[in-house]
Amino acid sequence: MHKNVVWLLVVMVVNLSGCFNNTVSTRPDVINIASILTFDSIIGKVAKIALQAAVEDVNSDPTILNGTKLKITFHDSNFSGFLSMMEAIHAMETEVVALIGPQTSVLAHVVSQVANELQVPLLSFTATDPALSSLQYPFFVRTTHSDLYQMAAIADIVRYYGWRQVTAIYMDDDHGRNGIISLGDQLVARGCKISHKAPIKPQATKTDISNVLVQVALMESRVLVIHTCANSGLDVLEVAKSLEMLDRGYVWIATNWLSTVIDISSPLPLKTLDSMQGFITLKTYTKDSNLTRKFASKWQNLTTFGLSTYCLYAYDTVWLLARALDAYFDQGGNISFSKDLRLNDVKGKILNLDSLSIFNGGKLLLQDILHVKMEGLTGVIEFTSDKDLVFPAFEVLNVIGTGVRKIGYWSNISSLSTISPEKVNMNPPHQSSSPEALHTVIWPGQTIQKPRGWVFPQNAKQFEIGVPNRVSFTEFVGQSKETGAFKGYCIDVFTSAVNLLPYAVPYKFQSYGDSVKNPSNTELVSLINADVYDAAVGDIAITTNRTRLADFSQPFIESGLVVVAPVSRANSSTWAFLRPFSPLMWCVSGIFFIVVGAVVWTLEHRINDEFRGPPKKQIVTVLWFSFSTLFSSHRENTLSTLGRMVLILWLFVVLIINSSYTASLTSILTVQKLYSPIKGIDSLMASEDPIGYQENSFVRNYLIAEYGIHEDRLIPLSLPEDFKKALKDGPKHGGVAAVVDERPYIELFLSTRCDFSIVGQEFTKNGWGFAFPRDSPLAADMSTAILKLSENGELQRIHDKWLLRSACSSQGTKFEVDRLELASFQGLFFICGLACFLALVIYIVLTIRQFYKHYPTLSESTGRSIQSGPLKTFISFVDEKEETTKTRSKRKYYSEGSSSRIYDAGNASIQNYDESKIELSK
């Protein structure tokens, strides 16, 4: 009976275990994980070794997983997306809780679909395609840095060296295309662009690669960014070497596949090294630590391959997964799987999918993975909210000799810098790039001179250059009616500059205009933007509106708007001596002469006999003293300190006024001058007279928009003869008051027409330049050539050839000098006026004080009572000589003293008499 009971219990346990399908204990003895690699690739070989080492270290560490062991199985994708998917399905049959890999981004796109359906986290340390970060792949976790940051680093390098365009060479798969899309976005954000894309098909032969690179060699850009995998990248370099594309003038920037090859395959064959000399490449930055050095020592005992950053990230990925599993179990998670009911619909139709199950704890484990924070071989392992690793950083390397040379760093905090990222993180003020953000680079061809970055494309058609067909001022640019050839100042400057370029530029001129009137240069420039012309050469002013349509070279001639008007000689007249000063200046000067004379009289009146006497005489004295100071011939002496101070300041003012008047009058009487009622653009704005301008010039719109001049006042003129006639006729006879045009035209116009002159100041500043399409490197090279023409004197020689004309005899004269205005002397008059005011204030205070001191005496001496009027008494006191006041005060003082003595003597006599009388009575 007991045996029956035991068997019954066994059957019940078996049945119960069947009810909990595929359920295991909370902390199982073994956890299955799988890795999908490409065994035949150099990265796959070293990654497998690193993963095995990590699993061994995790299993031997008692502090992790509490005795549970990791069991990893490896599956070969053999460079095939189909095989990767099949291997992933095969791995799922063993009820794995996580997949590590696959190795490439292309395979990751495929395997991620399987991982999503079965809710198994997929960790990859090599799939760097930025598109894998999208919401489409929730179970994909990248345990290295996205190519998005690598492309940002390359874009910063391109901008740092001043290049504007790059050619992208890449593998035409998900990894290559999405990486180059990110590069294009990063370049555009920095004002650069990809000028040509050169995709290479997967599994391409060297012939295929050669066909692609031949096309690249015909492009203008010499800055080449190569973004491939390791195996195909070496083939590209070998073909480029055979096509002589690794010589001087080229710039090669490789993504981190090149640094990986160098690290793993070191030492490389000399032939391979020779094909990458002068390259710039990136390498994921890993912090140097004791853990890293210890693992590097261990690595030497594991394999003969070099240690790359992919090995470090593979090792950290296993530890990341182990810590996440440990947290998963701590939260009560268990390893359980359930059938996917959707697979019943395809059962027996395509594949036997009965063995595939959904990992029930996949979502929880995924969250635990993303919340891990640890210190690994590569540094801090921590994820952002976008599932990216924190602190993306790269080393910038220059391949030279038999190895690489570190020329700087890049991080998302500091951009390019010669300071290591961890120091920048500790010292945030170093965030901005310095002028020496990278050390010196040795470029292809063993040169340290930065390559220009582009050449004129060898397969390009001739440049179609638009040239305005002018009917006036053809000295600047014109077309021969007989031969159709273009000539003129602008044409000679352009051809001379092109001859200085270090490469040939095939071009041909195309006439723009109807030969009846001057064409609009703004419309010509707009045709460049419309791809009708490849450039424009002529008398094209660089204006704001035109710079929105095209890029311009360095100006080859200075320009600006000026006003030209009829002028006449200003002859001398009877009243010419009044012309040096303006009327206001004469009035203020006369007033100050009288004021200063009155102030000095006031200060001297009480103490100086020369400033006293009858009123008529005092008035004459004031006027004489005031105006005689103009010649320093005043005979009156000043006795008071305040009067002398005022007089010294006034004599200084008179000296300045006298000198200025003399100089201005001398200039008026001896130098021939020209006169015009128009003084400049301000005079034209204030008047209502018509204004001439060159037909189809930007001047019309400029005057309307900037100066508010009504369009009805603007008269278009075509030929220099039209300018002359309109100015001669004047506004009263159907002409214009003045003409507004650019200085080069006006100077040429005035060279043989002496009845007109430029009036006022130049009121704009610009120049003439050659127009090119947006971001055209030719604009910068032509600017350099124009500067060379200026430095070697060739630009001046061309100017003299076309624009130097016989000068008018009036060129030695000067335009009428403006009168001296009050504004030029305001400071002097202010100082003098302030001195007079202070002197009067001090004098009045002293006089009032003296008045109150002598007030009683003054009242008695004048016979007035105090009640008769203090004001009249004060006026009498002021008019009285100071010496008289003091004498009267002394006399009163002595008289009062004598009376006191007499009174005292009388009292003493009376006292003596009384005493004698008393004695006698006794």
Side-chain angles (χ1 to χ4, degrees):
M1 183 178 179
H2 292 288
K3 291 182 178 181
N4 293 335
V5 173
V6 171
W7 279 110
L8 179 61
L9 292 175
V10 171
V11 171
M12 291 177 62
V13 170
V14 172
N15 290 334
L16 287 173
S17 63
C19 294
F20 299 97
N21 187 30
N22 294 332
T23 301
V24 296
S25 61
T26 302
R27 283 214 181 236
D29 294 332
V30 177
I31 301 175
N32 293 322
I33 60 174
S35 177
I36 302 174
L37 302 172
T38 304
F39 294 165
D40 198 29
S41 66
I42 58 174
I43 295 178
K45 294 175 182 178
V46 297
K48 183 177 180 181
I49 299 172
L51 291 174
Q52 289 174 332
V55 169
E56 292 177 2
D57 289 346
V58 168
N59 290 336
S60 62
D61 190 341
T63 63
I64 192 77
L65 292 178
N66 293 330
T68 299
K69 304 297 182 183
L70 292 180
K71 180 182 179 182
I72 185 169
T73 58
F74 293 95
H75 303 267
D76 186 9
S77 64
N78 199 21
F79 299 102
S80 171
F82 174 74
L83 291 179
S84 293
M85 184 175 63
M86 298 304 297
E87 292 295 335
I89 294 175
H90 178 60
M92 298 301 182
E93 294 176 351
T94 61
E95 298 183 345
V96 297
V97 297
L99 281 174
I100 298 177
Q103 185 174 316
T104 66
S105 298
V106 176
L107 305 182
H109 279 275
V110 177
V111 177
S112 292
Q113 301 289 351
V114 180
N116 288 348
E117 294 299 326
L118 301 181
Q119 298 185 12
V120 176
L122 175 63
L123 293 81
S124 179
F125 54 90
T126 52
T128 54
D129 178 5
L132 288 168
S133 300
S134 67
L135 299 177
Q136 182 182 1
Y137 307 108
F139 281 86
F140 175 82
V141 179
R142 182 185 290 112
T143 58
T144 186
H145 296 296
S146 167
D147 278 340
L148 177 66
Y149 302 106
Q150 185 172 205
M151 297 309 173
I154 292 176
D156 280 338
I157 293 173
V158 172
R159 181 182 61 177
Y160 172 72
Y161 286 111
W163 300 312
R164 301 291 294 277
Q165 300 181 11
V166 304
T167 296
I169 304 171
Y170 60 96
M171 194 61 60
D172 193 15
D173 55 22
D174 290 336
H175 174 247
R177 284 191 300 270
N178 294 331
I180 293 305
I181 289 173
S182 295
L183 175 62
D185 294 340
Q186 296 295 332
L187 287 171
V188 169
R190 292 158 176 79
C192 309
K193 70 176 184 179
I194 298 176
S195 60
H196 177 68
K197 293 182 179 180
I200 300 174
K201 67 180 182 180
Q203 308 300 324
T205 64
K206 290 186 178 180
T207 301
D208 298 330
I209 295 174
S210 179
N211 293 334
V212 172
L213 293 186
V214 166
Q215 295 300 316
V216 170
L218 297 177
M219 297 296 112
E220 64 181 26
S221 176
R222 284 292 183 266
V223 181
L224 311 179
V225 177
I226 176 170
H227 180 52
T228 66
C229 60
N231 292 346
S232 59
L234 294 177
D235 291 338
V236 172
L237 299 191
E238 183 179 344
V239 175
K241 180 69 175 178
S242 65
L243 295 176
E244 297 182 353
M245 295 178 65
L246 305 179
D247 295 336
R248 180 174 297 192
Y250 281 90
V251 176
W252 285 85
I253 303 176
T255 49
N256 59 352
W257 66 266
L258 183 58
S259 62
T260 301
V261 171
I262 295 174
D263 287 341
I264 296 176
S265 303
S266 183
L268 287 168
L270 293 178
K271 181 180 179 181
T272 304
L273 279 172
D274 190 46
S275 63
M276 59 180 71
Q277 293 297 304
F279 272 56
I280 291 179
T281 185
L282 299 178
K283 178 181 178 180
T284 305
Y285 175 78
T286 57
K287 182 180 178 181
D288 186 25
S289 64
N290 293 330
L291 288 174
T292 308
R293 289 191 290 269
K294 182 178 178 181
F295 183 76
S297 177
K298 179 180 179 180
W299 184 262
Q300 296 177 357
N301 299 325
L302 296 175
T303 179
T304 57
F305 288 112
L307 180 62
S308 77
T309 54
Y310 283 120
C311 304
L312 303 180
Y313 278 107
Y315 185 89
D316 283 347
T317 300
V318 174
W319 276 91
L320 169 67
L321 180 57
R323 294 186 183 277
L325 286 169
D326 195 35
Y328 174 79
F329 291 130
D330 287 343
Q331 295 174 3
N334 60 1
I335 307 300
S336 64
F337 295 86
S338 60
K339 294 295 183 181
D340 189 349
L341 299 179
R342 293 174 299 173
L343 297 178
N344 294 331
D345 297 334
V346 296
K347 181 178 179 181
K349 294 181 180 180
I350 303 175
L351 295 171
N352 184 12
L353 302 178
D354 292 343
S355 58
L356 295 181
S357 303
I358 298 175
F359 179 28
N360 296 327
K363 292 183 180 180
L364 179 59
L365 179 59
L366 176 64
Q367 294 304 313
D368 289 331
I369 292 173
L370 296 176
H371 288 116
V372 168
K373 295 182 181 179
M374 56 174 278
E375 187 77 22
L377 298 181
T378 57
V380 176
I381 304 294
E382 183 181 350
F383 291 95
T384 67
S385 58
D386 296 327
K387 299 198 303 184
D388 289 328
L389 286 180
V390 296
F391 306 134
F394 294 90
E395 297 177 4
V396 184
L397 307 176
N398 181 206
V399 182
I400 188 67
T402 58
V404 295
R405 181 171 145 268
K406 190 183 301 180
I407 59 173
Y409 304 90
W410 181 93
S411 72
N412 63 337
I413 295 178
S414 65
S415 186
L416 295 175
S417 176
T418 54
I419 304 172
S420 60
E422 67 264 14
K423 292 182 179 179
V424 173
N425 292 339
M426 293 185 295
N427 196 6
H430 287 287
Q431 291 181 4
S432 59
S433 296
S434 65
E436 297 181 356
L438 294 176
H439 295 301
T440 304
V441 177
I442 299 178
W443 305 99
Q446 301 295 314
T447 178
I448 61 173
Q449 183 178 2
K450 185 198 76 172
R452 182 174 55 249
W454 86 287
V455 296
F456 197 83
Q458 298 177 12
N459 65 337
K461 62 181 181 67
Q462 286 186 319
F463 259 35
E464 299 283 344
I465 299 180
V467 180
N469 188 3
R470 295 189 57 87
V471 297
S472 65
F473 298 107
T474 55
E475 293 87 349
F476 294 105
V477 58
Q479 187 176 18
S480 173
K481 294 182 180 180
E482 293 78 14
T483 63
F486 287 92
K487 59 182 180 179
Y489 171 74
C490 300
I491 301 299
D492 280 5
V493 172
F494 177 79
T495 55
S496 299
V498 168
N499 292 335
L500 291 179
L501 298 178
Y503 46 86
V505 179
Y507 63 89
K508 60 180 179 181
F509 293 128
Q510 296 289 343
S511 177
Y512 176 72
D514 55 10
S515 301
V516 177
K517 60 181 180 180
N518 293 327
S520 170
N521 285 336
T522 301
E523 294 178 0
L524 174 59
V525 173
S526 67
L527 293 178
I528 299 176
N529 194 40
D531 295 330
V532 176
Y533 295 119
D534 298 311
V537 171
D539 52 335
I540 305 172
I542 304 173
T543 63
T544 303
N545 291 334
R546 292 172 183 173
T547 55
R548 296 191 182 104
L549 302 173
D551 282 350
F552 283 84
S553 68
Q554 168 82 16
F556 56 85
I557 188 172
E558 291 186 359
S559 182
L561 295 182
V562 294
V563 177
V564 62
V567 293
S568 59
R569 289 180 174 83
N571 296 321
S572 184
S573 64
T574 304
W575 303 100
F577 67 91
L578 295 176
R579 284 168 56 188
F581 289 161
S582 65
L584 181 60
M585 180 65 183
W586 280 115
C587 293
V588 172
S589 298
I591 292 173
F592 258 83
F593 272 102
I594 296 174
V595 168
V596 170
V599 169
V600 173
W601 176 86
T602 301
L603 299 175
E604 295 289 323
H605 178 67
R606 298 191 70 233
I607 61 175
N608 194 335
D609 292 336
E610 294 182 353
F611 289 88
R612 299 185 61 80
K616 182 177 180 181
K617 177 185 177 184
Q618 294 183 47
I619 292 174
V620 172
T621 300
V622 169
L623 295 176
W624 163 254
F625 179 82
S626 298
F627 289 99
S628 63
T629 55
L630 181 63
F631 311 101
S632 299
S633 59
H634 53 283
R635 62 175 180 267
E636 293 82 5
N637 295 320
T638 53
L639 301 180
S640 68
T641 302
L642 294 176
R644 290 174 178 176
M645 179 189 71
V646 170
L647 183 60
I648 289 174
L649 287 176
W650 174 242
L651 289 177
F652 176 74
V653 173
V654 169
L655 175 65
I656 300 300
I657 294 175
N658 196 5
S659 301
S660 301
Y661 175 85
T662 303
S664 180
L665 182 62
T666 302
S667 175
I668 290 172
L669 297 179
T670 59
V671 179
Q672 186 181 16
K673 293 183 176 62
L674 302 176
Y675 168 77
S676 172
I678 304 298
K679 304 302 180 183
I681 187 63
D682 294 333
S683 298
L684 288 178
M685 291 176 59
S687 71
E688 296 296 331
D689 295 332
I691 303 169
Y693 70 94
Q694 190 174 172
E695 189 176 17
N696 281 333
S697 170
F698 74 92
V699 174
R700 180 181 184 277
N701 293 333
Y702 183 83
L703 293 178
I704 294 174
E706 298 296 330
Y707 287 90
I709 297 176
H710 198 277
E711 58 182 351
D712 293 341
R713 295 179 56 194
L714 300 176
I715 309 300
L717 305 170
S718 296
L719 302 174
E721 289 72 18
D722 299 334
F723 284 24
K724 180 179 179 180
K725 183 178 185 304
L727 290 171
K728 281 285 188 182
D729 293 343
K732 295 182 179 180
H733 299 89
V736 297
V739 171
V740 177
D741 206 351
E742 296 180 72
R743 179 177 286 277
Y745 301 124
I746 296 302
E747 288 180 346
L748 189 62
F749 170 77
L750 295 178
S751 62
T752 55
R753 297 170 178 86
C754 302
D755 296 336
F756 315 102
S757 180
I758 295 174
V759 295
Q761 299 295 322
E762 187 176 75
F763 57 94
T764 66
K765 277 289 185 182
N766 53 28
W768 292 357
F770 305 129
F772 299 93
R774 279 287 190 188
D775 301 326
S776 172
L778 193 57
D781 280 5
M782 285 295 288
S783 297
T784 303
I786 290 172
L787 291 175
K788 290 181 180 178
L789 290 177
S790 178
E791 293 171 356
N792 61 24
E794 182 66 12
L795 200 60
Q796 184 62 43
R797 188 195 66 78
I798 298 173
H799 177 276
D800 295 343
K801 172 186 174 182
W802 289 100
L803 306 180
L804 189 62
R805 296 289 183 271
S806 57
C808 293
S809 58
S810 63
Q811 281 190 350
T813 65
K814 295 183 179 180
F815 196 70
E816 181 189 21
V817 179
D818 291 336
R819 290 177 171 179
L820 295 175
E821 300 290 344
L822 177 63
S824 302
F825 303 92
Q826 284 180 346
L828 285 173
F829 285 131
F830 174 76
I831 294 174
C832 183
L834 181 63
C836 292
F837 175 76
L838 293 176
L840 284 176
V841 169
I842 295 173
Y843 173 77
I844 291 173
V845 171
L846 294 176
T847 302
I848 292 174
R849 179 184 176 188
Q850 190 177 22
F851 170 74
Y852 279 109
K853 180 179 179 181
H854 301 283
Y855 181 55
T857 304
L858 183 64
S859 299
E860 294 176 3
S861 64
T862 56
R864 300 188 184 107
S865 67
I866 295 177
Q867 288 78 18
S868 64
L871 180 60
K872 293 182 179 180
T873 305
F874 177 74
I875 293 174
S876 300
F877 174 78
V878 171
D879 185 60
E880 188 179 47
K881 191 174 182 181
E882 183 177 344
E883 184 178 353
T884 303
T885 302
K886 291 181 178 180
T887 301
R888 182 173 57 251
S889 296
K890 290 181 180 178
R891 187 163 50 247
K892 179 181 178 181
Y893 171 77
Y894 286 121
S895 64
E896 290 178 350
S898 301
S899 300
S900 175
R901 287 192 297 273
I902 293 172
Y903 175 79
D904 292 341
N907 289 337
S909 300
I910 293 172
Q911 184 178 1
N912 292 334
Y913 173 79
D914 291 340
E915 290 178 353
S916 300
K917 189 175 180 179
I918 293 171
E919 290 291 332
L920 291 175
S921 63
K922 287 180 178 180

